[in-house]
Amino acid sequence: DVLGSRGLGDVYKRQIKIIENFLRKLSDSDRDIFIRRYWYLDSIKDIAKRHGVSQGCIKTNLCRNRKKLYRILKREVLI
């Protein structure tokens, strides 16, 4: 078994907890941007308008926070 004694459900539960903790640590604005894009699937344009910033600012914000989340997941050996 590739996962060892841990089942796939356990891995998903752990990932969910890590993602929840990651989101809690973001500022309100960063969390809203991240959730609007990846949960509600809002467009970059709509998110930028909502926050009163440029689309480039939103893209940079999303890139930076995706990288943070990736590093956290990688550190936890879940990717």
Side-chain angles (χ1 to χ4, degrees):
D1 185 358
V2 174
L3 296 174
S5 61
R6 295 190 324 180
L8 197 54
D10 293 335
V11 172
Y12 288 141
K13 287 177 189 177
R14 179 84 174 116
Q15 285 178 335
I16 289 168
K17 285 183 182 184
I18 290 168
I19 292 167
E20 286 174 344
N21 287 334
F22 164 76
L23 290 171
R24 269 191 218 104
K25 291 178 183 177
L26 292 177
S27 69
D28 290 343
S29 178
D30 283 359
R31 184 173 38 257
D32 183 71
I33 290 168
F34 200 87
I35 290 172
R36 286 280 162 194
R37 183 63 178 155
Y38 299 117
W39 182 260
Y40 295 111
L41 304 176
D42 287 359
S43 70
I44 300 289
K45 182 179 178 180
D46 288 346
I47 297 168
K49 186 175 179 181
R50 177 185 178 93
H51 286 268
V53 298
S54 70
Q55 292 182 46
C57 182
I58 297 299
K59 290 177 186 178
T60 299
N61 180 292
L62 289 168
C63 181
R64 184 179 66 240
N65 285 314
R66 276 194 317 269
K67 287 179 181 180
K68 282 183 195 175
L69 179 58
Y70 177 80
R71 285 192 300 270
I72 291 167
L73 290 171
K74 189 173 180 181
R75 183 177 63 232
E76 297 291 331
V77 193
L78 295 175
I79 293 182

